[in-house]
Amino acid sequence: MRHNKAINHLGRKSGHRKALLSNMASSLILNKRIITTVAKAKALKSYVEPIITKSKDDSTHSRRIAFSYLKSKEATAELFRVVAPKIADRPGGYTRVLHTGFRQGDAAEMALIELVDFNEAALASAPKKEAKKSTRRGGAKKAEAAPAAAEAPAEA
């Protein structure tokens, strides 16, 4: 039984699994979306989201931590220069996993994992939110303003 075993080992030893997730995280940050199996996409999501959260604080310490996970100078630079400013106001949920069907050869369930703020098609189709007009609970101020407005045109 798998009680209290939160991590998916992906059928690999720990060194192989760490290398796999590091390479996939670097590819995700550089390419903004990758296609992989659902199990790997879910494991990658829990691996890369804390790194992206760390990138919001652009300090030497957070850069070193991100580099220790990504093991790629280019991916770390891309993360702090391009990705971090775009997700600065998002409180989490930086990635999206979309199921795409089954692989031809072995019928493995495939998924597309992408960074949410970098999908231009989804951002363009999203409806623009209009500024919400504030409502006042007290009707007294509104009632006083209405007779004054009615008298103004009568005097002119």
Side-chain angles (χ1 to χ4, degrees):
M1 287 185 264
R2 292 194 65 249
H3 298 301
N4 291 331
K5 308 260 188 284
I7 187 171
N8 186 351
H9 295 289
L10 301 173
R12 291 162 170 82
K13 302 285 185 183
S14 65
H16 188 186
R17 186 174 55 253
K18 287 174 189 172
L20 171 82
L21 291 172
S22 172
N23 288 329
M24 288 176 64
S26 296
S27 296
L28 178 64
I29 289 168
L30 291 172
N31 300 321
K32 310 303 185 263
R33 69 173 55 176
I34 56 173
I35 297 173
T36 183
T37 62
V38 172
K40 287 179 189 172
K42 287 179 179 178
L44 178 62
K45 185 172 185 149
S46 65
Y47 183 85
V48 78
E49 292 216 357
I51 300 169
I52 296 174
T53 301
K54 283 274 189 212
S55 74
K56 288 182 175 183
D57 174 34
D58 190 4
S59 65
T60 304
H61 181 63
S62 59
R63 280 182 180 264
R64 286 179 177 163
I65 289 174
F67 180 76
S68 73
Y69 282 99
L70 297 175
K71 297 173 180 55
S72 168
K73 200 182 289 187
E74 295 80 16
T76 306
E78 179 83 6
L79 175 65
F80 282 89
R81 289 186 189 141
V82 179
V83 177
K86 204 156 186 182
I87 54 98
D89 57 339
R90 182 176 287 275
Y94 312 112
T95 58
R96 176 187 297 130
V97 177
L98 300 170
H99 297 251
T100 58
F102 298 93
R103 190 160 49 196
Q104 183 78 36
D106 60 355
E109 194 173 359
M110 299 299 286
L112 176 123
I113 182 167
E114 65 183 0
L115 296 175
V116 172
D117 290 324
F118 289 89
N119 186 349
E120 283 78 21
L123 292 174
S125 66
K128 299 282 183 184
K129 291 185 178 179
E130 293 183 18
K132 198 171 185 181
K133 294 180 181 176
S134 62
T135 59
R136 296 184 63 108
R137 294 292 176 207
K141 302 254 181 194
K142 200 172 193 180
E144 291 173 6
E151 293 174 356
E155 292 174 355

